[in-house]
Amino acid sequence: MTTSTANPQQETVQAIRDHHERLGRAMADHALTIARAADQLAAPHDRRDKLAEFCEREVLPHADAEEQTLYRAAREVPEARLLLRAMLAEHAVLRERLAELRAARTPGETVGAAAALNALFQSHLAKENDLLLPALVDAGVDLAGLLAGMREVLGGSGEGAACTCGGHDDPGTPGATAEVAGGELDVRTLVPARRHAQIFDAFGALAAGAEFVLVNDHDPKPLYYQFAAEHPGEFTWEYVETGPEVWRVRIGRP
């Protein structure tokens, strides 16, 4: 049995940075797929809408939660006040860049708006990681207590190779396997630790232009981040059914 020597403060900082990394990679992947669509002379409007939806669903709630927690704590740290002012201003600009993306009509406008949004977001995350978090830690702010239960800031959690999507009411059937049948890959009977591996095996067997529908018992959102990190610009992801008991996601190769 291995005992962790990390303290709650260190674990919380790492959780924030890990969540930042997932958000940043997802944002970069969206921007890349938009640029590639334009390069292939395909209208990028559908991909533009997916990026805008990602921002509305993930990025803006994350920013709002930070303002209510990390940024509020930073107001009491004199050394962080100028930085805080800049970070709050960037949140406002982030919303402006998102509005510009939604208003983009031509492929060139869409690519430019997505690139600007991505560049701002990556720079913003780096400042939070490298400047804001160390300032709060040095000031003795109890981040673990401040952010307890704040999934919008901390993201998901998990250990080892197990699926970290959460929502596992059924531990699965030991020894069960799954394969694509009738265009669907149903992983609900698999033990959680095997689900992602089975899904990536199915994805690896896809030819260009092919797809399958993943059937799951919870929202596989963290799986999307893993795809974005390992296969940027090489996959498509579309929700077909969104719970509350069954989720279906169409996963394919462009």
Side-chain angles (χ1 to χ4, degrees), residues 163-246:
C163 174
T164 62
C165 298
H168 294 296
D169 296 322
D170 185 349
T173 303
T177 61
E179 59 183 26
V180 177
E184 291 191 343
L185 177 66
D186 190 338
V187 299
R188 289 175 293 178
T189 62
L190 300 185
V191 295
R194 284 292 304 153
R195 296 186 184 187
H196 282 202
Q198 195 79 40
I199 294 164
F200 277 101
D201 285 346
F203 177 75
L206 289 179
E211 62 187 21
F212 64 87
V213 174
L214 169 65
V215 183
N216 208 359
D217 55 12
H218 62 277
D219 186 353
K221 187 184 303 179
L223 177 68
Y224 172 86
Y225 296 134
Q226 190 173 350
F227 265 101
E230 299 181 13
H231 301 279
E234 299 174 357
F235 74 101
T236 59
W237 179 281
E238 178 185 1
Y239 280 96
V240 178
E241 185 175 354
T242 55
E245 296 182 356
V246 178

Side-chain angles (χ1 to χ4, degrees), residues 1-4 11 156-166 192-194 196:
M1 180 176 180
T2 301
T3 302
S4 173
E11 291 175 344
S157 61
E159 295 182 2
C163 174
T164 62
C165 298
R194 284 292 304 153
H196 282 202

Side-chain angles (χ1 to χ4, degrees), residues 55 57 65 94 104 120 172 184 237:
C55 290
R57 188 180 67 244
L94 191 68
L120 172 63
E184 291 191 343
W237 179 281

Side-chain angles (χ1 to χ4, degrees), residues 113-182:
L117 179 63
N118 179 52
L120 172 63
F121 190 56
Q122 303 300 337
S123 174
H124 186 77
L125 292 179
K127 291 174 186 174
E128 288 182 337
N129 287 340
D130 300 337
L131 301 175
L132 182 62
L133 288 177
L136 294 175
V137 170
D138 289 345
V141 176
D142 178 12
L143 296 179
L146 179 67
L147 301 174
M150 293 287 295
R151 294 182 63 85
E152 295 88 351
V153 180
L154 298 174
S157 61
E159 295 182 2
C163 174
T164 62
C165 298
H168 294 296
D169 296 322
D170 185 349
T173 303
T177 61
E179 59 183 26
V180 177

Side-chain angles (χ1 to χ4, degrees), residues 40-76:
Q40 296 166 4
L41 303 182
H45 297 148
D46 180 59
R47 289 173 172 82
R48 173 202 63 193
D49 293 343
K50 289 183 183 301
L51 173 54
E53 179 186 357
F54 166 72
C55 290
E56 294 285 355
R57 188 180 67 244
E58 298 290 335
V59 175
L60 295 187
H62 175 75
D64 290 340
E66 286 181 328
E67 289 184 14
Q68 296 303 314
T69 54
L70 298 177
Y71 288 19
R72 180 169 293 179
R75 293 174 186 167
E76 307 304 319

